[in-house]
Amino acid sequence: MKSAGIDIGSRTVKLAVLENGKLAWSAKRVTSYNPLETARELMDGVAFDAITATGYGRHLMKGHLDCPVISEITAFARGARFFAADCGAILDIGGQDTKAIALDREGAMSKFEMNDKCAAGTGRFLEVMATALGFTLEEFSQAALAAGKAVKINSMCTVFAESEVVSLTSQGALREDVAMGIHKAIVSRSASLLRRVSPQGPVFFAGGVALNACVRKLLEAETGRPVFVPPDPQIVGAVGAALISHFFR
Amino acid sequence: MADYTKMWTELGLDLAGHDALLGVLGGAYTDIFLSQKNRPEGMKYFDFVMSEVHGLRIQELMDAKAQGRKVIGSYCVFVPEELILAVDGVSVGLCAGAEFNSEGAETVLPRNTCALIKSAFGFKLGRVCPYLEASNVVVGENTCDGKKKSYEMLAPMVKDLYVMDMPQMKSASGRTLLKEEYKRFAAKLEAVSGKKITIESLKKGIDTVNAKRAAVKRLTALRAADPAPISGLDALLINQVFFYDDPVRFTASVNTLCDELEERVKKRTGVFAAKTPRLLISGCPMAVPNWKLPMLIESSGAVIVGEESCVGERGARWITDAKSQTMDGLLDQLTDRYFNIDCAIFTPNPSRVAYVKDMAKKLGATGVIHYSLQFCQPYIMESGPVENDLEKSGIPTLRLETDYSQEDAGQLKTRIEAFVERLQKK
Ligand code: SF4
Ligand code: SF4
């Protein structure tokens, strides 16, 4: 049986198909102003027997594609175990939210936390800051890794941090050092969210921000815990939803 | 609804603002309550009460006042309705549950004031609450710091603000203070009403309120059935109407509803399917029309089977034992009853979490949602230890902090759904 999961996130839509317990296919696409349309395009021509939706846009599917929905928190909890069978702590930094999830030994969710209302410290925040410094996302992470020191960023509000960054560079701070400061700020915030649900043990790091090598490195340093990033950290939620499709059958 | 414009104008309401408020309220009520499936017939009475909440009920208050009775408004379940009834007064709750005129409220209050207080001020400054405007006396109490200090600002805005002092510890001296304050309040009521509280009138007041609480307790007990015979939203509504309605009529209506629910339980019919995940809400009071969280919960595949809240169990749980034949003895028994209330303003407050566990067991709840209003220090402070204690006892707990605005609804829904999924072990 082919079971699929679709994760309609704020920045990207991801689709994953599992067959006989193996990841058979996955794809992702940047979310447009019409996430439902993006989801349709992504599913076009892909064969599956059952599908489950997750992500912030999960309820959009209702009435269009009659499929079960699952919260992204559960989806990530399930998906993480697919990639790391003994995983006990998950940190997911996505486009507009950050989640920390603790699993018990059986893989059942035992605690979770999410960031508050705004986008502070999420993927969106990183994007805005990279642009403010004139970097692409890839360059941004590399620049931070090459920095000699970190300039402290005081504001985590996307709007205020942007003007803070601009004023820091105009005062002569090196772009690299500011980039490092931003990365550090994100990591310390996420690490404290993680600590609230799980104090120790290896960390499964997922979501678009897990692609950022500098965040990964800083997260290990800040927490003193081994950090594991799956081959494609963005599809964890979609894979989790696909696993749930079994549950609903 | 009949035309009440004249009455509202006489009360000094701002008609435009009041219309806007009623418009939102009516719309929300239709969307949230009337759209529910399998509602008990007995809810019709409460639908009617809500449709006339600013109409007929206010008319009744005005009629009572015309007969020389006094309307006493209050903000806390520590204010004894029994004493108010003993001078033939009418007791009304003034807690406000809608985001209205926050900008106005923020001209006198700091931004980081809880939504309940802010809303009460928004209502006062916007002149949209007929209960407040109809009150002869507004009773405040020194509970949390937010309320305590805000009464200083409320004083010049209302005709007669009376503030009751409150103990902060469940000690012998704390109990003495509460009893003294009830005596002082009784004297105040006698002075404004010109009526003397007698043993008979106090006993009658106690009986009326006891009957009202007993009816609500009966409702609570029926909610232990699976499938749940009534939704959490409807049960909350009844607990909200508790504070406004005529107590005798309210009691009869709740009992009629309970007869119907008993039949449902016998026939094993309910509002949601059997085995629907069952949740308990614990924390800050939800004043009318604050239906935000229950609505999100019950549209996320769970049913609420109890509220450990002042608009709920904490308000209705204890019955006054009125056996004494002396005035002082009755006051003692009244004090004993109220001194049980385990509000988070008390320190320490261990009986609260113990009772949450009890309730979960009795009502068959498999999880607890701890609800705090943003900036509500007492309940937010208590929420961490409560969560730890419950989790340690094997009761999954989700802590939420929110206000009356809708901007975090999506976020909350994700958390609630994930929590329900956790209970279902998906
Ligand atoms: S929560 Fe405390 S202060 Fe508020 S109504 Fe209840 S007893 Fe009074
Ligand atoms: S919700 Fe909390 S802060 Fe607000 S009035 Fe009640 S006890 Fe005070």
Side-chain angles (χ1 to χ4, degrees):
Chain A
M1 163 184 152
K2 285 185 172 174
S3 51
I6 188 155
D7 178 357
I8 308 175
S10 61
R11 309 294 292 159
T12 41
V13 180
K14 303 82 148 172
L15 178 66
V17 181
L18 301 181
E19 192 172 11
N20 305 326
K22 288 213 168 60
L23 182 61
W25 195 82
S26 76
K28 56 198 168 203
R29 192 177 278 228
V30 174
T31 309
S32 68
Y33 63 92
N34 184 346
L36 196 62
E37 195 49 47
T38 311
R40 277 218 190 89
E41 285 164 20
L42 206 54
M43 288 187 295
D44 193 31
V46 181
F48 49 79
D49 307 300
I51 187 164
T52 298
T54 187
Y56 103 108
R58 64 194 179 282
H59 292 295
L60 295 174
M61 300 297 277
K62 263 194 200 140
H64 297 273
L65 182 78
D66 233 356
C67 72
V69 292
I70 190 99
S71 73
E72 51 265 46
I73 298 173
T74 303
F76 271 87
R78 294 297 234 90
R81 280 275 168 139
F82 180 84
F83 294 103
D86 56 353
C87 145
I90 304 158
L91 179 67
D92 159 52
I93 312 184
Q96 76 181 11
D97 58 34
T98 305
K99 307 182 243 323
I101 308 165
L103 303 180
D104 66 17
R105 220 174 303 157
E106 279 73 50
M109 193 183 351
S110 56
K111 206 170 165 146
F112 62 85
E113 290 275 357
M114 267 170 93
N115 64 319
D116 297 323
K117 294 173 196 171
C118 76
T122 64
R124 181 78 192 126
F125 178 82
L126 275 182
E127 261 177 46
V128 173
M129 294 310 126
T131 313
L133 288 170
F135 289 128
T136 64
L137 270 180
E138 180 55 24
E139 291 164 356
F140 188 41
S141 154
Q142 292 308 319
L145 284 170
K149 63 175 194 320
V151 174
K152 191 168 165 27
I153 304 295
N154 293 305
S155 180
M156 282 299 278
C157 162
T158 315
V159 180
F160 288 120
E162 194 177 3
S163 52
E164 194 180 342
V165 159
V166 172
S167 92
L168 283 171
T169 46
S170 63
Q171 283 163 23
L174 285 178
R175 284 205 297 167
E176 287 73 14
D177 297 350
V178 176
M180 187 57 166
I182 293 166
H183 280 75
K184 279 209 151 153
I186 280 218
V187 168
S188 93
R189 199 182 166 103
S190 310
S192 83
L193 193 74
L194 178 67
R195 234 171 271 130
R196 269 194 268 156
V197 306
S198 150
Q200 68 217 4
V203 181
F204 183 90
F205 186 19
V209 174
L211 294 166
N212 181 313
C214 182
V215 173
R216 267 182 340 238
K217 195 172 146 218
L218 290 175
L219 187 64
E220 277 193 327
E222 164 102 22
T223 59
R225 301 159 69 166
V227 171
F228 171 76
V229 178
D232 184 349
Q234 285 179 285
I235 61 164
V236 176
V239 168
L243 286 166
I244 296 275
S245 292
H246 283 293
F247 183 95
F248 282 111
R249 296 222 71 169
Chain B
M1 191 161 73
D3 186 8
Y4 294 108
T5 318
K6 186 161 162 281
M7 176 177 78
W8 292 334
T9 314
E10 279 164 15
L11 276 170
L13 296 192
D14 171 51
L15 291 180
H18 183 252
D19 276 353
L21 180 68
L22 280 194
V24 175
L25 190 70
Y29 195 78
T30 307
D31 292 350
I32 298 173
F33 285 91
L34 302 182
S35 66
Q36 296 179 95
K37 294 201 182 82
N38 312 325
R39 288 179 88 210
E41 274 297 301
M43 284 311 294
K44 292 233 164 78
Y45 170 74
F46 299 94
D47 290 341
F48 176 71
V49 168
M50 281 310 290
S51 70
E52 289 286 348
V53 71
H54 281 194
L56 207 53
R57 182 62 186 143
I58 302 299
Q59 186 64 59
E60 288 180 348
L61 297 187
M62 302 313 280
D63 294 347
K65 283 172 76 168
Q67 292 163 14
R69 298 172 66 195
K70 300 292 170 195
V71 176
I72 313 294
S74 60
Y75 295 97
C76 175
V77 299
F78 269 101
V79 178
E81 183 175 356
E82 293 87 341
L83 292 176
I84 298 171
L85 297 182
V87 296
D88 199 26
V90 184
S91 166
V92 292
L94 297 176
C95 285
E99 193 178 37
F100 184 85
N101 189 24
S102 314
E103 319 78 56
E106 281 171 17
T107 59
V108 286
L109 295 169
R111 283 199 68 127
N112 54 352
T113 305
C114 88
L116 219 142
I117 299 173
K118 233 188 239 180
S119 165
F121 273 72
F123 277 31
K124 176 64 227 177
L125 294 165
R127 290 184 288 121
V128 292
C129 177
Y131 290 91
L132 182 54
E133 303 307 325
S135 294
N136 294 96
V137 181
V138 172
V139 186
E141 22 43 63
N142 291 340
T143 45
C144 68
D145 286 354
K147 285 213 254 181
K148 192 159 69 189
K149 297 306 283 183
S150 69
Y151 292 131
E152 294 169 19
M153 283 167 261
L154 190 65
M157 300 179 198
V158 297
K159 275 168 267 173
D160 186 359
L161 179 81
Y162 174 86
V163 178
M164 193 157 89
D165 202 7
M166 278 287 301
Q168 308 270 299
M169 286 177 91
K170 299 275 174 86
S171 57
S173 56
R175 191 192 167 283
T176 307
L177 172 64
L178 191 63
K179 186 180 166 197
E180 284 307 310
E181 282 300 305
Y182 284 171
K183 263 194 210 158
R184 195 170 67 90
F185 183 50
K188 165 77 185 176
L189 290 168
E190 289 182 334
V192 287
S193 67
K195 288 175 191 136
K196 191 104 191 90
I197 300 181
T198 63
I199 293 178
E200 287 66 46
S201 75
L202 182 52
K203 278 208 172 202
K204 189 164 168 247
I206 292 176
D207 286 345
T208 305
V209 180
N210 275 352
K212 171 161 116 163
R213 294 201 175 109
V216 171
K217 283 168 75 81
R218 190 177 160 208
L219 171 67
T220 306
L222 284 165
R223 292 167 75 190
D226 186 23
I230 185 169
S231 68
L233 270 165
D234 278 336
L236 172 66
L237 185 79
I238 293 167
N239 276 296
Q240 291 174 332
V241 169
F242 182 97
F243 292 91
Y244 298 86
D245 202 7
D246 174 77
V248 175
R249 186 176 56 205
F250 173 86
T251 304
S253 307
V254 175
N255 278 322
T256 309
L257 173 79
C258 287
D259 294 341
E260 180 188 351
L261 298 188
E262 264 165 17
E263 284 307 306
R264 284 190 166 203
V265 174
K266 259 187 233 148
K267 288 196 208 113
R268 292 179 185 281
T269 56
V271 278
F272 297 100
K275 303 251 169 357
T276 298
R278 301 161 67 85
L279 296 180
L280 209 65
I281 295 184
S282 171
C284 288
M286 290 181 185
V288 103
N290 176 12
W291 303 309
K292 175 178 166 180
L293 206 57
M295 198 264 288
L296 287 171
I297 294 171
E298 294 201 328
S299 63
S300 299
V303 55
I304 301 164
V305 295
E307 301 75 25
E308 191 277 323
S309 153
C310 283
V311 182
E313 272 292 276
R314 225 184 293 129
R317 182 173 153 202
W318 297 275
I319 301 288
T320 309
D321 171 23
K323 283 202 198 71
S324 177
Q325 294 306 330
T326 67
M327 193 52 122
D328 195 58
L330 284 176
L331 269 181
D332 265 323
Q333 289 172 325
L334 201 61
T335 307
D336 286 338
R337 187 264 162 205
Y338 281 92
F339 205 49
N340 285 317
I341 300 174
D342 32 24
C343 168
I345 62 140
F346 282 93
T347 182
N349 190 28
S351 61
R352 183 175 157 228
V353 67
Y355 192 64
V356 176
K357 287 186 220 169
D358 251 35
M359 266 183 97
K361 205 163 149 204
K362 273 193 286 199
L363 297 170
T366 49
V368 172
I369 293 194
H370 191 285
Y371 156 77
S372 314
L373 278 174
Q374 235 169 6
F375 310 122
C376 168
Q377 230 170 16
Y379 282 91
I380 295 174
M381 285 270 202
E382 217 167 85
S383 68
V386 166
E387 179 189 20
N388 289 342
D389 195 335
L390 292 176
E391 288 275 358
K392 239 186 256 141
S393 320
I395 304 174
T397 305
L398 176 67
R399 250 202 290 169
L400 298 176
E401 220 178 277
T402 182
D403 57 15
Y404 294 168
S405 74
Q406 289 301 321
E407 57 179 303
D408 59 347
Q411 271 259 6
L412 288 174
K413 189 148 172 64
T414 299
R415 286 181 207 212
I416 294 166
E417 284 182 6
F419 185 62
V420 174
E421 287 157 6
R422 178 185 163 195
L423 298 179
Q424 292 170 307
K425 300 203 171 18
K426 267 186 191 165

